[in-house]
Amino acid sequence: MLVIWGRNNSVNVQKVLWCCEEMALRYERIDAGGAFGVVNTPQYRNLNPNGLVPTIDDDGFVLWESNAIIRYLAARHAAGSLWSEDPRARADADRWMDWMLTTFWPAIRTLFLGLIRTAPDKRDPRALEESRLKTAEVLGIVDAHLKTHQYLAGDAFTMGDIPLGCGIWRWMALPIERPALPNLQRWFDTLARRPAYKKTVMLPLS
Ligand SMILES: N[C@@H](CCC(=O)N[C@@H](CS)C(=O)NCC(=O)O)C(=O)O
């Protein structure tokens, strides 16, 4: 049985849960991280020396780093669908997965943490606004891409949609002003109709 450690409100844990639900893969989830602690115990550090979530144990194979986990699970259980057999199509999905971690998340992180996990009197309005503007700017890249693509890595849903799909829920659910990005909105609306996305990602932000 696949075991997943991680609290279900974490963006990186949600990536893995959503991926599993899309593949109808059975798993056991153990709360860890944030208020649940666990991540600083020697047992957990043995599995993941970073003390972060998610971590998986798939019949003795331990893996951390959310995108690596998605790639592994999709290659193992969804080759030809979530995980394309074609190297170029797969690289396209990989590209958007990495872009979420290296470009989108650094842009939105301050805004998300500020509005959701920081008391109002401790917020830095200037930093929040900078983060909002930067996020809107980088999402312009996605909007332009989605003008000619149904999904991030082509015309079918793939693992490439999962990381940014988790991130975009935060952008859509935050109480902020958002510029009109019609192609991005269309992509999000499509994701929002997927039962697995509703179940694992579209949760109240916390
Ligand atoms: N690059 C790592 C980042 C993991 C990470 O930063 N996880 C956060 C939650 S989203 C975490 O563990 N924070 C500490 C905690 O929850 O205690 C990945 O993608 O898995």
Side-chain angles (χ1 to χ4, degrees):
M1 165 80 95
L2 171 68
V3 179
I4 302 169
W5 280 268
R7 52 189 169 83
N8 69 356
N9 64 345
S10 140
V11 68
N12 291 308
V13 173
Q14 288 181 1
K15 294 176 191 175
V16 176
L17 299 178
W18 181 17
C19 183
C20 289
E21 295 286 340
E22 288 289 347
M23 302 185 298
L25 199 60
R26 290 184 58 230
Y27 59 87
E28 180 198 350
R29 187 182 63 78
I30 298 174
D31 274 322
F36 296 100
V38 178
V39 294
N40 291 321
T41 60
Q43 292 89 334
Y44 189 85
R45 289 282 172 142
N46 235 353
L47 300 173
N48 183 343
N50 303 287
L52 297 173
V53 291
T55 301
I56 65 162
D57 182 335
D58 189 21
D59 284 329
F61 176 61
V62 175
L63 189 63
W64 41 263
E65 276 303 322
S66 56
N67 285 0
I69 295 171
I70 297 171
R71 289 181 179 114
Y72 163 72
L73 292 174
R76 190 153 183 224
H77 302 283
S81 56
L82 287 189
W83 193 86
S84 176
E85 306 270 21
D86 173 56
R88 290 187 178 178
R90 201 167 62 244
D92 205 5
D94 281 337
R95 173 248 301 270
W96 286 108
M97 295 171 75
D98 293 352
W99 187 89
M100 187 280 187
L101 270 183
T102 58
T103 304
F104 173 80
W105 193 249
I108 199 172
R109 193 170 179 275
T110 301
L111 186 62
F112 175 75
L113 294 179
L115 292 181
I116 303 299
R117 300 207 183 133
T118 308
D121 61 319
K122 298 268 179 334
R123 291 175 192 161
D124 174 352
R126 206 168 160 165
L128 295 187
E129 182 58 3
E130 258 174 38
S131 175
R132 187 186 71 83
L133 291 173
K134 184 67 189 169
T135 308
E137 181 193 324
V138 301
L139 284 177
I141 297 170
V142 187
D143 188 65
H145 177 74
L146 288 170
K147 198 168 181 182
T148 51
H149 300 80
Q150 197 68 10
Y151 291 93
L152 290 178
D155 287 328
F157 178 78
T158 68
M159 66 178 184
D161 294 290
I162 291 180
L164 190 59
C166 292
I168 218 65
W169 167 243
R170 281 142 178 88
W171 173 249
M172 292 297 183
L174 284 173
I176 51 165
E177 190 189 324
R178 286 172 287 275
L181 295 168
N183 306 300
L184 182 81
Q185 183 70 48
R186 191 247 324 131
W187 174 71
F188 169 70
D189 292 343
T190 307
L191 298 184
R193 288 195 289 274
R194 301 184 80 87
Y197 186 69
K198 275 193 198 136
K199 177 176 172 182
T200 56
V201 182
M202 296 178 77
L203 309 176
L205 301 183
S206 66

